[in-house]
Amino acid sequence: MIKNTKHNNGSYIIGLPQAQHKPTLHSPTVTSNLKKRSMEAISKIEIKTKANLGKRITAGFIDYAIIFFFQGIMFFFYGKHIDGGYVLSGTPFWMVVLFWAIMTIGLEQIFGTTLGNYMSDLKPVSVKNFYSHRLTIGQSIKRHLGDILDIWFFGLIGILLIKNTKHNQRLGDLWAKTIVIDTTDKEQGMK
């Protein structure tokens, strides 16, 4: 239907009326509303954690006892004596690195937890993605690269951070945007 529109200066514009369109899922209005609702949902999420310090120390001890045992075997069979100690190089060195990656990052990606965390009823949870608590590969890598500093000086840095951060996070958890919850305690987690 052709519509005549009178302008302020007295002239007429002849044309078709603007099409009335229904918003689709990808229209700016719907996308904006979805983002707004998502942000409201995020702000309503409550994160509850406890230090679980005994369990976390036990879990870390189990994981790294296995890793250091494997490393010790590699040093025993393949270590080269140098002044003041032994060194691993080449394939044996990379086997230790690969074993560490499998025991930490690999198990966390496949099973959602490391062996030590599983035995201690602990599970790392992503607070970055509230639709899925599963950790991304990047989060697992960040968590366990943080282990290097977290276990330094008998774990003092990790313990201090766990006891003094809002959500009981160690350095690796802060960097990866994760929390660690006790799976047997229903009060812990994101609600």
Side-chain angles (χ1 to χ4, degrees), residues 22 41 45 52 60 66 86 97 104 106 108 127 136 152 175 178 184:
K22 295 180 183 174
I45 291 176
N52 304 314
I66 295 168
Y86 289 87
V97 172
T104 56
E108 208 165 74
V127 295
T136 65
W152 192 260
W175 185 24
T178 58
T184 61

Side-chain angles (χ1 to χ4, degrees), residues 55 58-60 62-63 66 113-122:
K55 286 186 170 193
T58 301
I62 291 168
D63 288 336
I66 295 168
T113 186
T114 63
L115 184 61
N117 280 347
Y118 176 77
M119 293 173 71
S120 301
D121 298 315
L122 297 174

